[in-house]
Amino acid sequence: MCFTAIMRRFVKYKHVELRYKNHAFDLLVADTFYKLMLGLMKLKRIGKSEGMLFVFGRDARHGIWMLNMQFAIDIIWLDKEFTVVDIASSAKPCKSVFKCTTYLPIKDARYVVELNAGEARKMGLRTGAKL
């Protein structure tokens, strides 16, 4: 078992519910340096109505990369008012640091939501939407 898998067993996450129109998701909250770094890395999959909320301490163009991810995701950047500022749809995993795209929003954000690929489209989520 790898170090990441072992450490994930000891990390405790808060949960929050994300709602948009008639869609609801149970999100794990990444609110510490370690949780932000770990993200969804090494997980085989997440449930249909699951995801992760990254809580950053300040507004910035927070980059997300897909190193050691096992599945594609939608990356949704939110400002401090939980308004969508950008979306990266179906971001693909990468296995090499040297060939790994960093996804950046077009504007500053304070939060990032990661959901299974295609969920943002299914919800009809667009920039400017309020979550």
Side-chain angles (χ1 to χ4, degrees), residues 2 9-11 18 20 22 27 30 50 53 62 64 66 72 96 99 108 123:
C2 72
R9 290 182 174 184
F10 298 104
V11 176
L18 168 73
Y20 182 71
N22 61 341
L27 303 180
E50 294 178 337
L53 171 66
H62 299 287
I64 301 293
M66 301 292 292
S96 167
K99 295 181 181 179
D108 285 355
M123 291 189 294

Side-chain angles (χ1 to χ4, degrees), residues 57-120:
R58 61 184 176 82
D59 295 338
R61 290 183 64 220
H62 299 287
I64 301 293
W65 68 345
M66 301 292 292
L67 185 64
N68 294 320
M69 284 288 293
Q70 306 297 310
F71 53 95
I73 59 171
D74 289 343
I75 305 167
I76 304 157
W77 286 270
L78 309 170
D79 67 13
K80 63 184 176 187
E81 305 296 327
F82 297 98
T83 301
V84 176
V85 297
D86 204 0
I87 301 171
S89 299
S90 298
K92 306 279 187 276
C94 62
K95 301 297 180 203
S96 167
V97 171
F98 303 107
K99 295 181 181 179
C100 200
T101 300
T102 299
Y103 295 90
L104 290 165
I106 58 171
K107 294 176 21 179
D108 285 355
R110 185 165 302 179
Y111 307 99
V112 169
V113 173
E114 293 182 347
L115 303 174
N116 280 308
E119 290 299 323

